[in-house]
Each structure stands twice: as structure tokens, then as C-alpha cells.
Amino acid sequence: QKEVEQDPGPLSVPEGAIVSLNCTYSNSAFQYFMWYRQYSRKGPELLMYTYSSGNKEDGRFTAQVDKSSKYISLFIRDSQPSDSATYLCAMSTYNQGGKLIFGQGTELSVKP
Amino acid sequence: SAVISQKPSRDICQRGTSLTIQCQVDSQVTMMFWYRQQPGQSLTLIATANQGSEATYESGFVIDKFPISRPNLTFSTLTVSNMSPEDSSIYLCSVRSGSGTETQYFGPGTRLLVL
């Protein structure tokens, strides 16, 4: 079993839709949770960061962490064609020397 | 945020040869990381490179195959040695954000195809 599971998609939605991206994990020691966005032929770009459980909102993006269920989500409101990219969840534990464990990535396409 | 550049951006190599990838950061950082992203796969950490010490390799990666140099606080190289088609991948370097979090900034990646 992989430490982090993420539905690879692809996911196709119409412009303006609400997008929900999810990851599950097995290591209860994970405390730091991140979402990265990766455009084609580019490196991953940090979108959201959450420490421990709870919600965090930044513009059209909301990150949720449910440590009891070992489940994290990223919601994108009013999705735009420019949101078309691969979204990767990543997580780590305290004192893991900086090692991030990534999900497989979900490919999202927002159609105008 | 740190600005990270990598050279080359892409390359096509013959099996049995070696390629050295360079990573340059616009600020001094203690730790640099090298990841591999195989087609359709997640990013996997190869090794952590600290300036002035030997790199620390993750399980499944060995120094003979992926030697790393870290001559100063802004630069690192990763060599992919004796390449085979299975080494075709995107290689990414990253650095910690330094904001007290565990987040990292990534370079644009080096796309390697081994024939």
C-alpha cells in the first residue's frame, strides 16, 4: 500500500465548476500537508500549505485536512481554464529531514 | 520565494552514457533535494544534499548510480550514470522555503530520455 493515494484522473470539468481533489494517507505521523500545481513541462508550484487538521482558504482555493480520517482535500471554486494542470498532494512528518511524500497527481482539465 | 534554475532543461542520451544535471539557487540554502518523476508517477525523493557533507540517499537509490555534488550553498549537481531507458524521467531539484514550514520550492526540472 502506498503511503499517499491520489486518484490520477484525468478530471474534466466545465468552466465555473467547483473542483474537489482528494488524497488519502496511511501514516498517522504526517503533520504537514501541501498542494502543488504542476503545469505541463514545468516544476511543481506550491499552492496551499496546512499544518495539522483544519481548513485554509486562499482566494478560490480551500484546503481541508481531516487527520482522524487521514484524508485531505483541495477545493477550487469558479474553476478557470488556467487551472488546467496536474495537482499533487504532498505531506511530511516533523523531523523527517525535509522529505516530502507525494501523491500520484490528478490531471485536471477545465473546459471553457 | 527562491528562484531555482536547472540545466539542461531536456536531453536525449544513449544508454550506457552519463548525464550531469545542474541546479542553481538564487539564495544560500542548507539543504537541497533531488527528486525523480517518472511518467505517470509521483515525485520520489532520490537524495538530500547538504553542503560540506555526503548526500543522504533514499532506499532504492545508490551513490554509484546517482552521484551528487554540493560544492557551495547555492549549487548542486546530480549525475545519472550508466543510463538505461528506465532512467527516462524528469529530474527535479528543490529547496526548503525557509519559512518554518516543511514546504519546498522546485526547479523547472530536467527531462531526460534515454534511448
Side-chain angles (χ1 to χ4, degrees):
Chain A
Q1 182 189 5
K2 293 182 180 178
E3 277 192 285
V4 180
E5 299 275 1
Q6 183 177 5
D7 185 343
L11 181 62
S12 182
V13 301
E15 182 175 355
I18 296 175
V19 176
S20 173
L21 304 168
N22 312 294
C23 288
T24 59
Y25 61 93
S26 58
N27 188 350
S28 59
F30 285 141
Q31 293 177 293
Y32 305 94
F33 304 93
M34 288 142 265
W35 286 96
Y36 284 85
R37 177 174 62 195
Q38 186 174 25
Y39 290 113
S40 180
R41 303 184 183 282
K42 300 287 187 182
E45 166 196 13
L46 180 66
L47 259 185
M48 299 287 285
Y49 164 76
T50 309
Y51 170 70
S52 192
S53 285
N55 294 358
K56 187 172 184 178
E57 186 174 323
D58 185 1
R60 296 185 294 112
F61 299 90
T62 300
Q64 288 185 350
V65 174
D66 182 348
K67 292 191 71 178
S68 62
S69 301
K70 299 189 182 68
Y71 188 88
I72 71 171
S73 299
L74 177 70
F75 297 97
I76 307 174
R77 292 183 299 279
D78 186 25
S79 56
Q80 302 295 310
S82 58
D83 295 327
S84 298
T86 296
Y87 291 80
L88 301 140
C89 63
M91 42 198 86
S92 71
T93 66
Y94 177 72
N95 270 348
Q96 202 169 7
K99 179 179 179 179
L100 298 182
I101 308 297
F102 281 84
Q104 189 175 351
T106 300
E107 183 181 349
L108 171 67
S109 177
V110 181
K111 303 295 187 185
Chain B
S1 66
V3 176
I4 304 171
S5 60
Q6 287 185 234
K7 289 181 181 179
S9 59
R10 57 172 56 220
D11 208 341
I12 300 174
C13 301
Q14 297 297 317
R15 68 172 66 209
T17 63
S18 298
L19 177 71
T20 295
I21 302 168
Q22 299 178 8
C23 180
Q24 180 76 51
V25 187
D26 69 343
S27 58
Q28 294 184 338
V29 294
T30 305
M31 299 172 74
M32 294 179 76
F33 306 91
W34 286 98
Y35 288 83
R36 182 174 71 182
Q37 187 176 27
Q38 292 181 305
Q41 303 293 318
S42 62
L43 277 75
T44 303
L45 182 64
I46 297 171
T48 302
N50 290 327
Q51 194 269 335
S53 63
E54 293 290 327
T56 303
Y57 289 83
E58 295 297 310
S59 175
F61 298 97
V62 295
I63 188 171
D64 289 347
K65 176 67 176 177
F66 297 101
I68 288 172
S69 78
R70 185 75 204 276
N72 58 52
L73 291 173
T74 63
F75 187 80
S76 178
T77 67
L78 170 77
T79 298
V80 187
S81 303
N82 188 25
M83 288 183 285
S84 67
E86 292 70 35
D87 294 318
S88 298
S89 187
I90 301 172
Y91 292 86
L92 298 139
C93 67
S94 72
V95 302
R96 264 176 160 161
S97 67
S99 60
T101 71
E102 293 295 314
T103 56
Q104 295 177 13
Y105 296 119
F106 285 83
T110 295
R111 284 152 183 80
L112 171 63
L113 176 62
V114 183
L115 302 177

